[in-house]
mmCIF file of all heavy atoms in Angstrom:
data_model
loop_
_atom_site.group_PDB
_atom_site.id
_atom_site.type_symbol
_atom_site.label_atom_id
_atom_site.label_comp_id
_atom_site.label_asym_id
_atom_site.label_seq_id
_atom_site.Cartn_x
_atom_site.Cartn_y
_atom_site.Cartn_z
ATOM 1 N N ASP A 1074 55.537 127.357 78.158
ATOM 2 C CA ASP A 1074 54.438 127.930 77.388
ATOM 3 C C ASP A 1074 53.597 126.833 76.765
ATOM 4 O O ASP A 1074 52.370 126.862 76.795
ATOM 5 C CB ASP A 1074 54.999 128.820 76.267
ATOM 6 C CG ASP A 1074 55.520 130.126 76.826
ATOM 7 O OD1 ASP A 1074 55.078 130.487 77.930
ATOM 8 O OD2 ASP A 1074 56.351 130.759 76.161
ATOM 9 N N PHE A 1075 54.303 125.882 76.189
ATOM 10 C CA PHE A 1075 53.572 124.807 75.529
ATOM 11 C C PHE A 1075 52.756 123.980 76.520
ATOM 12 O O PHE A 1075 51.610 123.628 76.260
ATOM 13 C CB PHE A 1075 54.557 123.893 74.802
ATOM 14 C CG PHE A 1075 53.980 122.554 74.510
ATOM 15 C CD1 PHE A 1075 53.026 122.398 73.541
ATOM 16 C CD2 PHE A 1075 54.365 121.454 75.256
ATOM 17 C CE1 PHE A 1075 52.479 121.169 73.307
ATOM 18 C CE2 PHE A 1075 53.823 120.245 75.019
ATOM 19 C CZ PHE A 1075 52.875 120.090 74.034
ATOM 20 N N LEU A 1076 53.347 123.677 77.674
ATOM 21 C CA LEU A 1076 52.634 122.861 78.650
ATOM 22 C C LEU A 1076 51.401 123.568 79.172
ATOM 23 O O LEU A 1076 50.386 122.941 79.440
ATOM 24 C CB LEU A 1076 53.578 122.499 79.800
ATOM 25 C CG LEU A 1076 54.716 121.573 79.379
ATOM 26 C CD1 LEU A 1076 55.737 121.472 80.494
ATOM 27 C CD2 LEU A 1076 54.192 120.208 79.023
ATOM 28 N N GLU A 1077 51.482 124.898 79.278
ATOM 29 C CA GLU A 1077 50.301 125.637 79.713
ATOM 30 C C GLU A 1077 49.203 125.524 78.673
ATOM 31 O O GLU A 1077 48.033 125.300 78.989
ATOM 32 C CB GLU A 1077 50.685 127.102 79.936
ATOM 33 C CG GLU A 1077 49.503 127.972 80.326
ATOM 34 C CD GLU A 1077 49.895 129.435 80.421
ATOM 35 O OE1 GLU A 1077 51.094 129.716 80.323
ATOM 36 O OE2 GLU A 1077 48.998 130.256 80.598
ATOM 37 N N GLU A 1078 49.576 125.676 77.397
ATOM 38 C CA GLU A 1078 48.574 125.568 76.340
ATOM 39 C C GLU A 1078 48.010 124.149 76.265
ATOM 40 O O GLU A 1078 46.846 123.948 75.960
ATOM 41 C CB GLU A 1078 49.194 125.963 74.997
ATOM 42 C CG GLU A 1078 49.654 127.413 74.932
ATOM 43 C CD GLU A 1078 48.499 128.382 75.115
ATOM 44 O OE1 GLU A 1078 47.375 128.038 74.737
ATOM 45 O OE2 GLU A 1078 48.723 129.473 75.659
ATOM 46 N N SER A 1079 48.871 123.157 76.560
ATOM 47 C CA SER A 1079 48.400 121.773 76.516
ATOM 48 C C SER A 1079 47.319 121.525 77.547
ATOM 49 O O SER A 1079 46.335 120.834 77.298
ATOM 50 C CB SER A 1079 49.571 120.817 76.742
ATOM 51 O OG SER A 1079 50.525 120.978 75.737
ATOM 52 N N SER A 1080 47.497 122.097 78.748
ATOM 53 C CA SER A 1080 46.492 121.892 79.784
ATOM 54 C C SER A 1080 45.170 122.540 79.400
ATOM 55 O O SER A 1080 44.102 122.062 79.759
ATOM 56 C CB SER A 1080 46.996 122.461 81.107
ATOM 57 O OG SER A 1080 47.216 123.854 80.979
ATOM 58 N N LYS A 1081 45.240 123.654 78.654
ATOM 59 C CA LYS A 1081 44.007 124.273 78.200
ATOM 60 C C LYS A 1081 43.352 123.458 77.104
ATOM 61 O O LYS A 1081 42.132 123.415 76.969
ATOM 62 C CB LYS A 1081 44.296 125.687 77.663
ATOM 63 C CG LYS A 1081 44.777 126.670 78.729
ATOM 64 C CD LYS A 1081 45.058 128.014 78.085
ATOM 65 C CE LYS A 1081 45.562 129.007 79.119
ATOM 66 N NZ LYS A 1081 45.907 130.307 78.505
ATOM 67 N N LEU A 1082 44.167 122.806 76.296
ATOM 68 C CA LEU A 1082 43.648 122.070 75.157
ATOM 69 C C LEU A 1082 42.893 120.822 75.550
ATOM 70 O O LEU A 1082 41.887 120.479 74.944
ATOM 71 C CB LEU A 1082 44.820 121.688 74.236
ATOM 72 C CG LEU A 1082 44.540 120.642 73.153
ATOM 73 C CD1 LEU A 1082 43.654 121.230 72.078
ATOM 74 C CD2 LEU A 1082 45.835 120.144 72.557
ATOM 75 N N GLN A 1083 43.356 120.116 76.597
ATOM 76 C CA GLN A 1083 42.864 118.770 76.828
ATOM 77 C C GLN A 1083 41.378 118.743 77.163
ATOM 78 O O GLN A 1083 40.664 117.811 76.804
ATOM 79 C CB GLN A 1083 43.674 118.093 77.927
ATOM 80 C CG GLN A 1083 43.634 118.797 79.268
ATOM 81 C CD GLN A 1083 44.555 118.111 80.242
ATOM 82 O OE1 GLN A 1083 45.299 117.226 79.874
ATOM 83 N NE2 GLN A 1083 44.502 118.519 81.485
ATOM 84 N N SER A 1084 40.874 119.786 77.831
ATOM 85 C CA SER A 1084 39.450 119.779 78.175
ATOM 86 C C SER A 1084 38.579 119.922 76.936
ATOM 87 O O SER A 1084 37.437 119.463 76.898
ATOM 88 C CB SER A 1084 39.148 120.921 79.142
ATOM 89 O OG SER A 1084 39.477 122.163 78.545
ATOM 90 N N ASP A 1085 39.116 120.572 75.888
ATOM 91 C CA ASP A 1085 38.322 120.782 74.689
ATOM 92 C C ASP A 1085 38.375 119.602 73.739
ATOM 93 O O ASP A 1085 37.441 119.377 72.977
ATOM 94 C CB ASP A 1085 38.826 122.026 73.932
ATOM 95 C CG ASP A 1085 38.709 123.279 74.790
ATOM 96 O OD1 ASP A 1085 37.801 123.296 75.647
ATOM 97 O OD2 ASP A 1085 39.512 124.208 74.606
ATOM 98 N N SER A 1086 39.468 118.859 73.771
ATOM 99 C CA SER A 1086 39.660 117.835 72.740
ATOM 100 C C SER A 1086 39.499 116.417 73.233
ATOM 101 O O SER A 1086 39.614 115.493 72.460
ATOM 102 C CB SER A 1086 41.071 117.979 72.148
ATOM 103 O OG SER A 1086 42.022 117.800 73.149
ATOM 104 N N ARG A 1087 39.221 116.207 74.532
ATOM 105 C CA ARG A 1087 39.219 114.856 75.072
ATOM 106 C C ARG A 1087 38.183 113.958 74.396
ATOM 107 O O ARG A 1087 38.476 112.886 73.909
ATOM 108 C CB ARG A 1087 38.965 114.907 76.577
ATOM 109 C CG ARG A 1087 39.079 113.555 77.241
ATOM 110 C CD ARG A 1087 38.914 113.694 78.741
ATOM 111 N NE ARG A 1087 39.577 114.850 79.256
ATOM 112 C CZ ARG A 1087 40.885 114.938 79.426
ATOM 113 N NH1 ARG A 1087 41.649 113.924 79.123
ATOM 114 N NH2 ARG A 1087 41.432 116.037 79.906
ATOM 115 N N GLU A 1088 36.949 114.428 74.352
ATOM 116 C CA GLU A 1088 35.907 113.562 73.813
ATOM 117 C C GLU A 1088 36.106 113.328 72.326
ATOM 118 O O GLU A 1088 35.845 112.258 71.807
ATOM 119 C CB GLU A 1088 34.529 114.187 74.051
ATOM 120 C CG GLU A 1088 34.164 114.297 75.532
ATOM 121 C CD GLU A 1088 34.754 115.550 76.175
ATOM 122 O OE1 GLU A 1088 35.411 116.322 75.450
ATOM 123 O OE2 GLU A 1088 34.563 115.731 77.388
ATOM 124 N N HIS A 1089 36.614 114.355 71.636
ATOM 125 C CA HIS A 1089 36.772 114.213 70.195
ATOM 126 C C HIS A 1089 37.810 113.176 69.839
ATOM 127 O O HIS A 1089 37.655 112.433 68.877
ATOM 128 C CB HIS A 1089 37.170 115.563 69.605
ATOM 129 C CG HIS A 1089 37.548 115.479 68.154
ATOM 130 N ND1 HIS A 1089 36.637 115.204 67.171
ATOM 131 C CD2 HIS A 1089 38.747 115.624 67.545
ATOM 132 C CE1 HIS A 1089 37.249 115.190 65.995
ATOM 133 N NE2 HIS A 1089 38.534 115.438 66.194
ATOM 134 N N ILE A 1090 38.840 113.086 70.629
ATOM 135 C CA ILE A 1090 39.921 112.178 70.272
ATOM 136 C C ILE A 1090 39.561 110.736 70.562
ATOM 137 O O ILE A 1090 39.795 109.849 69.759
ATOM 138 C CB ILE A 1090 41.195 112.561 71.037
ATOM 139 C CG1 ILE A 1090 41.574 114.012 70.714
ATOM 140 C CG2 ILE A 1090 42.348 111.658 70.677
ATOM 141 C CD1 ILE A 1090 41.724 114.285 69.248
ATOM 142 N N ILE A 1091 38.976 110.489 71.722
ATOM 143 C CA ILE A 1091 38.766 109.110 72.135
ATOM 144 C C ILE A 1091 37.557 108.491 71.440
ATOM 145 O O ILE A 1091 37.536 107.316 71.116
ATOM 146 C CB ILE A 1091 38.590 109.050 73.662
ATOM 147 C CG1 ILE A 1091 39.851 109.587 74.328
ATOM 148 C CG2 ILE A 1091 38.354 107.633 74.119
ATOM 149 C CD1 ILE A 1091 41.107 108.866 73.939
ATOM 150 N N SER A 1092 36.538 109.278 71.199
ATOM 151 C CA SER A 1092 35.327 108.713 70.592
ATOM 152 C C SER A 1092 35.049 109.393 69.271
ATOM 153 O O SER A 1092 33.984 109.959 69.044
ATOM 154 C CB SER A 1092 34.144 108.855 71.545
ATOM 155 O OG SER A 1092 33.978 110.215 71.904
ATOM 156 N N THR A 1093 36.028 109.402 68.388
ATOM 157 C CA THR A 1093 35.883 110.096 67.121
ATOM 158 C C THR A 1093 34.789 109.467 66.277
ATOM 159 O O THR A 1093 34.032 110.146 65.598
ATOM 160 C CB THR A 1093 37.230 110.042 66.365
ATOM 161 O OG1 THR A 1093 38.250 110.502 67.237
ATOM 162 C CG2 THR A 1093 37.187 110.906 65.128
ATOM 163 N N GLN A 1094 34.669 108.173 66.330
ATOM 164 C CA GLN A 1094 33.692 107.502 65.496
ATOM 165 C C GLN A 1094 32.271 107.871 65.878
ATOM 166 O O GLN A 1094 31.410 108.055 65.022
ATOM 167 C CB GLN A 1094 33.879 105.988 65.604
ATOM 168 C CG GLN A 1094 35.196 105.515 65.031
ATOM 169 C CD GLN A 1094 35.313 104.024 65.104
ATOM 170 O OE1 GLN A 1094 34.383 103.365 65.532
ATOM 171 N NE2 GLN A 1094 36.425 103.493 64.668
ATOM 172 N N SER A 1095 32.029 107.970 67.175
ATOM 173 C CA SER A 1095 30.671 108.258 67.608
ATOM 174 C C SER A 1095 30.267 109.684 67.297
ATOM 175 O O SER A 1095 29.091 109.978 67.123
ATOM 176 C CB SER A 1095 30.557 108.020 69.116
ATOM 177 O OG SER A 1095 31.451 108.880 69.796
ATOM 178 N N GLN A 1096 31.221 110.624 67.207
ATOM 179 C CA GLN A 1096 30.875 112.008 66.975
ATOM 180 C C GLN A 1096 30.823 112.340 65.496
ATOM 181 O O GLN A 1096 30.038 113.171 65.079
ATOM 182 C CB GLN A 1096 31.899 112.918 67.655
ATOM 183 C CG GLN A 1096 31.842 112.833 69.176
ATOM 184 C CD GLN A 1096 32.736 113.871 69.801
ATOM 185 O OE1 GLN A 1096 33.303 114.705 69.103
ATOM 186 N NE2 GLN A 1096 32.856 113.842 71.096
ATOM 187 N N ASP A 1097 31.693 111.736 64.695
ATOM 188 C CA ASP A 1097 31.736 112.051 63.279
ATOM 189 C C ASP A 1097 31.275 110.842 62.491
ATOM 190 O O ASP A 1097 31.989 109.857 62.367
ATOM 191 C CB ASP A 1097 33.163 112.429 62.879
ATOM 192 C CG ASP A 1097 33.211 113.032 61.485
ATOM 193 O OD1 ASP A 1097 32.202 112.971 60.761
ATOM 194 O OD2 ASP A 1097 34.274 113.570 61.131
ATOM 195 N N PRO A 1098 30.066 110.863 61.952
ATOM 196 C CA PRO A 1098 29.567 109.674 61.273
ATOM 197 C C PRO A 1098 30.359 109.327 60.035
ATOM 198 O O PRO A 1098 30.331 108.201 59.581
ATOM 199 C CB PRO A 1098 28.123 110.069 60.927
ATOM 200 C CG PRO A 1098 28.116 111.565 60.925
ATOM 201 C CD PRO A 1098 29.100 111.976 61.945
ATOM 202 N N THR A 1099 31.100 110.294 59.501
ATOM 203 C CA THR A 1099 31.850 109.967 58.292
ATOM 204 C C THR A 1099 33.000 109.035 58.568
ATOM 205 O O THR A 1099 33.455 108.323 57.693
ATOM 206 C CB THR A 1099 32.394 111.263 57.664
ATOM 207 O OG1 THR A 1099 33.235 111.915 58.618
ATOM 208 C CG2 THR A 1099 31.262 112.203 57.278
ATOM 209 N N ILE A 1100 33.465 109.012 59.829
ATOM 210 C CA ILE A 1100 34.584 108.115 60.144
ATOM 211 C C ILE A 1100 34.140 106.670 60.132
ATOM 212 O O ILE A 1100 34.914 105.763 59.917
ATOM 213 C CB ILE A 1100 35.195 108.512 61.497
ATOM 214 C CG1 ILE A 1100 35.834 109.894 61.368
ATOM 215 C CG2 ILE A 1100 36.224 107.524 61.963
ATOM 216 C CD1 ILE A 1100 36.549 110.347 62.592
ATOM 217 N N SER A 1101 32.864 106.427 60.362
ATOM 218 C CA SER A 1101 32.394 105.051 60.390
ATOM 219 C C SER A 1101 32.366 104.422 59.012
ATOM 220 O O SER A 1101 32.173 103.230 58.869
ATOM 221 C CB SER A 1101 30.976 105.002 60.998
ATOM 222 O OG SER A 1101 30.076 105.758 60.187
ATOM 223 N N GLN A 1102 32.540 105.243 57.964
ATOM 224 C CA GLN A 1102 32.602 104.658 56.634
ATOM 225 C C GLN A 1102 33.870 103.831 56.491
ATOM 226 O O GLN A 1102 34.850 104.048 57.164
ATOM 227 C CB GLN A 1102 32.618 105.779 55.588
ATOM 228 C CG GLN A 1102 31.400 106.701 55.653
ATOM 229 C CD GLN A 1102 31.552 107.856 54.692
ATOM 230 O OE1 GLN A 1102 32.512 107.888 53.929
ATOM 231 N NE2 GLN A 1102 30.638 108.792 54.739
ATOM 232 N N LYS A 1103 33.824 102.888 55.571
ATOM 233 C CA LYS A 1103 35.018 102.082 55.314
ATOM 234 C C LYS A 1103 36.094 102.957 54.708
ATOM 235 O O LYS A 1103 35.807 103.856 53.923
ATOM 236 C CB LYS A 1103 34.690 100.927 54.350
ATOM 237 C CG LYS A 1103 33.938 99.800 55.023
ATOM 238 C CD LYS A 1103 34.807 99.112 56.034
ATOM 239 C CE LYS A 1103 34.090 97.964 56.706
ATOM 240 N NZ LYS A 1103 34.905 97.313 57.713
ATOM 241 N N PRO A 1104 37.342 102.710 55.047
ATOM 242 C CA PRO A 1104 38.401 103.559 54.508
ATOM 243 C C PRO A 1104 38.454 103.465 53.001
ATOM 244 O O PRO A 1104 38.199 102.421 52.413
ATOM 245 C CB PRO A 1104 39.675 102.983 55.138
ATOM 246 C CG PRO A 1104 39.204 102.185 56.303
ATOM 247 C CD PRO A 1104 37.838 101.702 55.960
ATOM 248 N N SER A 1105 38.739 104.573 52.396
ATOM 249 C CA SER A 1105 38.881 104.568 50.952
ATOM 250 C C SER A 1105 40.233 103.985 50.585
ATOM 251 O O SER A 1105 41.019 103.624 51.420
ATOM 252 C CB SER A 1105 38.766 106.000 50.419
ATOM 253 O OG SER A 1105 39.844 106.767 50.892
ATOM 254 N N ASN A 1106 40.470 103.923 49.296
ATOM 255 C CA ASN A 1106 41.724 103.342 48.854
ATOM 256 C C ASN A 1106 42.814 104.388 48.732
ATOM 257 O O ASN A 1106 43.702 104.290 47.920
ATOM 258 C CB ASN A 1106 41.550 102.646 47.501
ATOM 259 C CG ASN A 1106 41.013 103.599 46.445
ATOM 260 O OD1 ASN A 1106 40.575 104.693 46.787
ATOM 261 N ND2 ASN A 1106 41.048 103.202 45.187
ATOM 262 N N ILE A 1107 42.707 105.418 49.565
ATOM 263 C CA ILE A 1107 43.773 106.415 49.567
ATOM 264 C C ILE A 1107 45.017 105.795 50.176
ATOM 265 O O ILE A 1107 44.941 104.828 50.914
ATOM 266 C CB ILE A 1107 43.331 107.660 50.361
ATOM 267 C CG1 ILE A 1107 42.951 107.271 51.773
ATOM 268 C CG2 ILE A 1107 42.187 108.334 49.719
ATOM 269 C CD1 ILE A 1107 43.905 107.676 52.785
ATOM 270 N N LEU A 1108 46.126 106.418 49.878
ATOM 271 C CA LEU A 1108 47.391 105.795 50.240
ATOM 272 C C LEU A 1108 47.920 106.356 51.537
ATOM 273 O O LEU A 1108 48.929 107.029 51.579
ATOM 274 C CB LEU A 1108 48.403 106.015 49.116
ATOM 275 C CG LEU A 1108 48.052 105.276 47.836
ATOM 276 C CD1 LEU A 1108 49.117 105.508 46.808
ATOM 277 C CD2 LEU A 1108 47.860 103.810 48.098
ATOM 278 N N LEU A 1109 47.211 106.078 52.647
ATOM 279 C CA LEU A 1109 47.841 106.354 53.930
ATOM 280 C C LEU A 1109 49.008 105.415 54.104
ATOM 281 O O LEU A 1109 50.030 105.766 54.672
ATOM 282 C CB LEU A 1109 46.830 106.163 55.066
ATOM 283 C CG LEU A 1109 45.842 107.300 55.234
ATOM 284 C CD1 LEU A 1109 44.899 106.969 56.361
ATOM 285 C CD2 LEU A 1109 46.555 108.592 55.496
ATOM 286 N N LYS A 1110 48.820 104.188 53.683
ATOM 287 C CA LYS A 1110 49.947 103.271 53.644
ATOM 288 C C LYS A 1110 50.389 103.229 52.196
ATOM 289 O O LYS A 1110 49.877 102.464 51.414
ATOM 290 C CB LYS A 1110 49.538 101.888 54.135
ATOM 291 C CG LYS A 1110 49.297 101.841 55.609
ATOM 292 C CD LYS A 1110 48.676 100.561 56.060
ATOM 293 C CE LYS A 1110 49.451 99.386 55.621
ATOM 294 N NZ LYS A 1110 48.952 98.131 56.119
#
Side-chain angles (χ1 to χ4, degrees):
D1074 285 338
F1075 160 72
L1076 293 170
E1077 177 185 352
E1078 296 298 330
S1079 299
S1080 61
K1081 294 179 181 177
L1082 166 71
Q1083 60 185 8
S1084 60
D1085 299 331
S1086 61
R1087 186 176 320 284
E1088 295 84 1
H1089 172 69
I1090 302 305
I1091 299 303
S1092 56
T1093 308
Q1094 294 182 3
S1095 61
Q1096 293 187 6
D1097 191 349
T1099 59
I1100 294 184
S1101 62
Q1102 301 174 6
K1103 284 293 181 182
S1105 65
N1106 57 348
I1107 57 107
L1108 293 182
L1109 283 179
K1110 288 170 54 175

